[in-house]
């Protein structure tokens, strides 16, 4: 018994060492990639007013163009991630970053509403599959107990995108007139080319799997592979005959719909916060960007605090429930408030909740998926969320175009209420999923990493 305990302690220590190596080597470049993705997809918010003045794109057309990115993204999400599973995350994430960076730069050539729609649609198609590819990479390298922490670290890139992306975009827009270009043209050009540079570092620094990493020993790679496996999750080598397991398990559908409601609000706020700030008599592109960046600080607090609470409560679904419930009073308070500072603070509070909860969605999903089913299932969940990313800006822009602030508020409150109404369904389906997994698991078939108490530090 003592020998077994000693051997287990040695394996846990080896896994902790290997996990720290993986975290320090992989997470910075993955975070940088996601940071640029977030900046490139949302920088159009900084250009909203300028596009209307310089190109004649109305508020309603802006809402369509902002949201159409998510429509093409959603259509290609699952096919993209299935290709990623075949060719490996390194090649596919690099390809995604190069194409979306170049298309981001092409935004500088927008001349009217139709060209705006076309480039935004192509930009979404180019970026399709990035986020589930990042999530799948997490399932390859880290154990289930580590994943909520690792995903939380990745979401720091979103927070940085909020906090730094808007001021960066505002600073680039101050180049207005240089070289005969509008400020928004400089912003799209520079940020797109920076993304191509990041793609080069993905190619050089991100191995496909532990056994490909030259900075790991063979034993370290083996223990990472072993602990990353979720042994109670269904896994198959082909989707043929197994589509229900990948897409239609009840807990996947329930989680997808709650994520949809989250993204309706989150993306509507992301794309309209700069214009909301401007409407509150804040002047100057850089200052508008700085004030809009407060949402990044709030999101940063959320992805630190909410996963921290989850690690102590030891129940993703319970914490997910409390946070989802909290979004409703925040949305209602925003809809009835009229003070500029109070409105900004309430938007920040909403982003703290909406972004801070995201690592919990993916932890719930990853604990119940593996292999090809994880690649397909994670992409499906993100696809449904992306549809929310289309619906949110579209409905908000439609309301704004008709001059109805109340209708815009109704979009935010309605999405928050929808998420709450779906919570009982999620509870029932997760319990049912775990009951079936427990019945089908043999003795000692724990999810990868559950036997150890290690975390990424």
């Amino acid at each position: 018994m003592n020998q077994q305990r000693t051997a287990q302690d040695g394996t846990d220590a080896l896994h902790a060492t290997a996990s720290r190596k993986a975290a320090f080597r992989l997470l910075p470049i993955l975070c940088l990639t996601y940071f640029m993705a977030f900046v490139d997809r949302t920088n159009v918010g900084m250009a909203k007013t300028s596009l209307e003045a310089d190109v004649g794109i109305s508020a309603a057309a802006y809402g369509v163009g902002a949201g159409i990115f998510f429509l093409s993204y959603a259509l290609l999400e699952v096919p993209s991630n299935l290709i990623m599973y075949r060719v490996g995350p390194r090649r596919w994430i690099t390809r995604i970053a190069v194409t979306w960076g170049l298309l981001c730069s092409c935004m500088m050539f927008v001349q009217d509403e139709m060209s705006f729609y076309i480039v935004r649609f192509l930009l979404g198609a180019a970026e399709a599959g990035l986020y589930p590819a990042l999530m799948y990479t997490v399932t390859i390298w880290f154990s289930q107990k580590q994943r909520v922490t690792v995903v939380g670290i990745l979401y720091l890139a979103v927070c940085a995108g909020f906090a730094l992306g808007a001021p960066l975009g505002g600073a680039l827009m101050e180049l207005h007139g240089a070289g005969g270009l509008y400020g928004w043209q400089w912003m799209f050009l520079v940020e797109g080319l920076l993304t191509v540079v990041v793609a080069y570092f993905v190619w050089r620094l991100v191995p496909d799997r532990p056994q490909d990493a030259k900075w790991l020993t063979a034993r370290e790679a083996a223990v990472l592979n072993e602990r990353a496996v979720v042994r109670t999750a269904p896994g198959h080598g082909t989707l043929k005959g197994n589509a229900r397991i990948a897409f239609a398990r009840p807990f996947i559908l329930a989680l997808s719909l709650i994520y949809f409601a989250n993204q309706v609000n989150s993306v509507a706020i992301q794309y309209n916060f700069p214009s909301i700030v401007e409407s509150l008599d804040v002047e100057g592109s850089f200052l508008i960007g700085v004030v809009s960046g407060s949402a990044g600080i709030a999101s940063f607090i959320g992805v630190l605090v909410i996963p921290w609470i989850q690690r102590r409560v030891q129940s993703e679904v319970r914490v997910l429930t409390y946070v989802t419930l909290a979004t409703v009073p925040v949305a209602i308070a925003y809809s009835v408030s009229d003070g500029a500072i109070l409105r900004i603070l309430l938007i920040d509070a909403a982003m703290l909740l909406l972004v801070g909860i995201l690592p919990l969605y993916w932890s719930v999903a990853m604990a119940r998926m593996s292999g090809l089913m994880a690649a397909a299932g994670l992409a499906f969940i993100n696809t449904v969320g992306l549809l929310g990313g289309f619906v949110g800006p579209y409905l908000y822009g439609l309301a704004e175009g008709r001059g109805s602030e109340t209708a815009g508020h109704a979009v935010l409150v309605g999405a928050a209420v929808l998420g709450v109404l779906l919570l009982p369904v999620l509870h029932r389906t997760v319990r049912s999923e775990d009951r079936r997994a427990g019945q089908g698991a043999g003795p000692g078939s724990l999810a990868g990493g559950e036997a150890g108490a290690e975390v990424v530090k």
Side-chain angles (χ1 to χ4, degrees):
M1 181 66 71
N2 288 336
Q3 289 180 339
Q4 289 180 341
R5 184 178 295 112
T6 300
Q8 182 64 52
D9 290 344
T11 302
D12 290 346
L14 181 67
H15 182 244
T17 299
S19 295
R20 282 193 292 270
K21 284 185 179 182
F24 288 130
R25 294 276 188 163
L26 299 178
L27 293 185
I29 186 61
L30 295 180
C31 284
L32 182 59
T33 305
Y34 197 36
F35 168 81
M36 290 309 304
F38 189 82
V39 168
D40 288 350
R41 79 169 64 161
T42 58
N43 55 13
V44 70
M46 287 298 302
K48 179 181 179 182
T49 303
S50 297
L51 286 170
E52 183 173 3
D54 299 334
V55 186
I57 295 175
S58 66
Y62 169 82
V64 174
I68 204 170
F69 166 94
F70 293 94
L71 187 60
S72 58
Y73 197 143
L75 289 172
L76 296 174
E77 186 84 329
V78 172
S80 176
N81 225 40
L82 293 178
I83 295 173
M84 179 278 301
Y85 181 78
R86 298 300 181 190
V87 305
R90 171 173 166 262
R91 291 179 178 83
W92 202 240
I93 294 173
T94 300
R95 193 284 306 163
I96 289 172
V98 169
T99 52
W100 108 62
L102 293 176
L103 281 164
C104 178
S105 293
C106 287
M107 280 289 294
M108 68 182 292
F109 300 115
V110 166
Q111 297 295 321
D112 51 27
E113 292 180 355
M114 183 54 65
S115 59
F116 180 56
Y117 296 156
I118 291 172
V119 179
R120 289 291 296 177
F121 185 88
L122 293 176
L123 185 61
E127 195 181 319
L130 174 69
Y131 187 70
L134 295 176
M135 293 298 98
Y136 181 75
T137 301
V138 172
T139 69
I140 292 175
W141 288 86
F142 299 99
S143 71
Q144 174 58 28
K145 293 195 73 170
Q146 298 170 322
R147 288 173 188 169
V148 69
T149 301
V150 173
V151 174
I153 292 171
L154 286 176
Y155 272 110
L156 293 178
V158 174
C159 305
F162 272 127
L164 302 177
L168 173 62
L172 290 171
M173 288 183 67
E174 295 290 344
L175 294 173
H176 182 79
L181 299 177
Y182 292 116
W184 55 270
Q185 289 179 306
W186 277 112
M187 179 184 67
F188 289 129
L189 174 62
V190 173
E191 291 180 351
L193 293 179
L194 284 175
T195 299
V196 177
V197 174
V198 171
Y200 168 79
F201 288 105
V202 172
W203 178 258
R204 291 294 303 273
L205 301 177
V206 180
D208 279 323
R209 51 187 59 84
Q211 55 266 39
D212 298 329
K214 296 179 180 179
W215 34 267
L216 288 174
T217 68
R219 290 184 62 222
E220 289 170 341
V223 75
L224 286 179
N225 280 325
E226 179 186 353
R227 295 291 180 90
V229 175
V230 180
R231 303 187 189 285
T232 56
H236 299 275
T238 175
L239 277 179
K240 186 177 181 180
N242 297 299
R244 187 193 66 81
I245 294 174
F247 306 127
R249 289 151 71 191
F251 99 91
I252 292 178
L253 298 176
L255 188 63
S256 299
L257 291 173
I258 293 178
Y259 185 42
F260 169 89
N262 173 288
Q263 291 296 284
V264 168
N265 274 347
S266 179
V267 178
I269 292 172
Q270 291 168 25
Y271 280 90
N272 290 283
F273 196 16
S275 62
I276 292 171
V277 172
E278 186 174 9
S279 72
L280 300 174
D281 298 326
V282 177
E283 298 181 356
S285 296
F286 181 70
L287 185 57
I288 291 170
V290 170
V291 176
S292 301
S294 65
I297 298 172
S299 301
F300 177 83
I301 295 171
V303 297
L304 291 179
V305 172
I306 293 176
W308 178 84
I309 294 172
Q310 182 276 328
R311 289 194 295 271
R312 277 143 186 81
V313 174
Q314 294 291 311
S315 172
E316 290 107 334
V317 177
R318 187 186 307 169
V319 177
L320 188 153
T321 298
Y322 295 151
V323 175
T324 303
L325 287 169
T327 62
V328 176
V330 172
I332 293 174
Y334 176 78
S335 68
V336 300
S337 65
D338 55 10
I341 295 177
L342 179 59
R343 281 199 164 186
I344 290 173
L345 291 175
L346 285 169
I347 288 177
D348 290 342
M351 295 310 294
L352 185 153
L353 299 170
L354 293 169
V355 176
I357 198 176
L358 296 179
L360 275 62
Y361 293 139
W362 299 107
S363 182
V364 169
M366 290 173 181
R368 297 161 180 87
M369 298 179 180
S370 66
L372 178 61
M373 297 302 105
L378 293 172
F380 175 78
I381 293 171
N382 205 47
T383 296
V384 177
L386 289 166
L387 293 175
F390 170 76
V391 170
Y394 173 74
L395 292 181
Y396 198 94
L398 190 64
E400 189 179 34
R402 294 180 176 178
S404 175
E405 188 177 25
T406 301
H409 294 164
V411 172
L412 303 180
V413 174
V417 171
L418 175 62
V420 170
L421 294 176
L422 290 167
L423 287 172
V425 181
L426 179 66
H427 278 264
R428 287 197 301 271
T429 55
V430 167
R431 282 198 299 267
S432 177
E433 180 78 18
D434 291 346
R435 190 181 306 115
R436 283 197 298 271
Q439 291 171 351
S445 62
L446 298 171
E450 290 297 316
E454 69 283 354
V455 294
V456 178
K457 298 180 181 178

